[in-house]
Amino acid sequence: DAGVIQSPRHEVTEMGQEVTLRCKPISGHNSLFWYRQTMMRGLELLIYFNNNVPIDDSGMPEDRFSAKMPNASFSTLKIQPSEPRDSAVYFCASSPRGGDLLLFGPGTRLTVL
Amino acid sequence: AQKVTQAQTEISVVEKEDVTLDCVYETRDTTYYLFWYKQPPSGELVFLIRRNSFDEQNEISGRYSWNFQKSTSSFNFTITASQVVDSAVYFCALSEVGNTGKLIFGQGTTLQVKP
């Protein structure tokens, strides 16, 4: 079975541009998580969906960040406008139910110049 | 508040040595999960183990073993006869059952295994 799929794997953009990261969770998993990893802050949860509904978005840093899950097989994380401090690796993870078992995608390495 | 502490920032060993990675956690909940993940140089996060707070039995999987002690809030990870391929960053994490499902990660321990 395919694991969590993320695209793109690498993204380089200029400050002020819009960035959209995509995630396809594992089929049958009801929960989806977006994490960000930086050297300074480590792994931090940005937002969590359960059955396509956002449950906890307290980790979303600012209004420039938004996330959607229009259906059970697709989610996006959008940054508009992007800033250099958004440079990080963004991971998507899915779980059969809540925090029972998070399986991570390969991550998207974002560089904002 | 929930917290996971991995006090060892970096560990360096020579191949075939045994090494233990420490993890201490804080939670007010009585039901929770503990996890270990491996992040090799390629960057992906690989799931290693999940342990339910009600199950304090130690677990062994090949060269890997885990020691869960509720009394000391610790969930330590031992690699026996380490190999160069074990070089990675290892993360311990805590998830409270019945909570939003938020997974709280420790800061990670970088393990370098030298040939």
Side-chain angles (χ1 to χ4, degrees), chain B residues 23-84:
Chain B
C23 173
V24 175
Y25 61 93
E26 297 175 27
T27 178
R28 295 179 185 173
D29 214 346
T30 56
T31 306
Y32 49 89
Y33 288 118
L34 294 164
F35 301 80
W36 276 95
Y37 288 86
K38 174 183 180 180
Q39 187 171 41
S42 51
E44 69 270 29
L45 281 163
V46 179
F47 166 78
L48 294 179
I49 189 173
R50 181 190 75 175
R51 177 48 51 90
N52 186 306
S53 56
F54 292 114
D55 181 5
E56 290 195 64
Q57 280 195 348
N58 291 333
E59 183 158 340
I60 298 175
S61 176
R63 295 184 298 108
Y64 295 172
S65 62
W66 290 269
N67 183 348
F68 175 33
Q69 293 197 348
K70 216 168 180 178
S71 60
T72 56
S73 297
S74 65
F75 186 42
N76 296 337
F77 174 29
T78 297
I79 302 175
T80 302
S82 59
Q83 300 176 1
V84 173

Side-chain angles (χ1 to χ4, degrees), chain A residues 33 35 37 40-43 45 48 55-56 58 91 98-104 106, chain B residues 33 35 37 39 42-45 47 50 91 95 97 99-105 107:
Chain A
F33 303 77
Y35 279 82
Q37 185 178 33
M40 291 296 294
R41 301 175 67 89
L43 277 157
L45 178 67
Y48 153 55
I55 301 299
D56 182 356
S58 58
F91 287 101
D100 283 7
L101 175 59
L102 270 71
L103 299 177
F104 286 81
Chain B
Y33 288 118
F35 301 80
Y37 288 86
Q39 187 171 41
S42 51
E44 69 270 29
L45 281 163
F47 166 78
R50 181 190 75 175
F91 292 95
S95 169
V97 177
N99 198 355
T100 60
K102 181 182 293 189
L103 201 62
I104 305 299
F105 283 87
Q107 285 302 103

Side-chain angles (χ1 to χ4, degrees), chain A residues 36-43 87-89 109, chain B residues 10 107 110:
Chain A
R36 178 171 69 175
Q37 185 178 33
T38 61
M39 290 294 292
M40 291 296 294
R41 301 175 67 89
L43 277 157
S87 297
V89 180
R109 183 175 295 277
Chain B
E10 292 184 19
Q107 285 302 103
T110 300

Side-chain angles (χ1 to χ4, degrees), chain A residues 15-66:
Chain A
M15 182 174 63
Q17 297 297 307
E18 177 179 298
V19 175
T20 299
L21 310 182
R22 297 173 176 79
C23 175
K24 176 179 170 56
I26 293 172
S27 177
H29 281 195
N30 294 324
S31 302
L32 183 140
F33 303 77
W34 282 100
Y35 279 82
R36 178 171 69 175
Q37 185 178 33
T38 61
M39 290 294 292
M40 291 296 294
R41 301 175 67 89
L43 277 157
E44 52 181 345
L45 178 67
L46 299 178
I47 188 169
Y48 153 55
F49 293 87
N50 194 36
N51 294 321
N52 312 339
V53 176
I55 301 299
D56 182 356
D57 65 354
S58 58
M60 295 286 263
E62 332 175 357
D63 291 345
R64 299 185 296 106
F65 285 69
S66 63

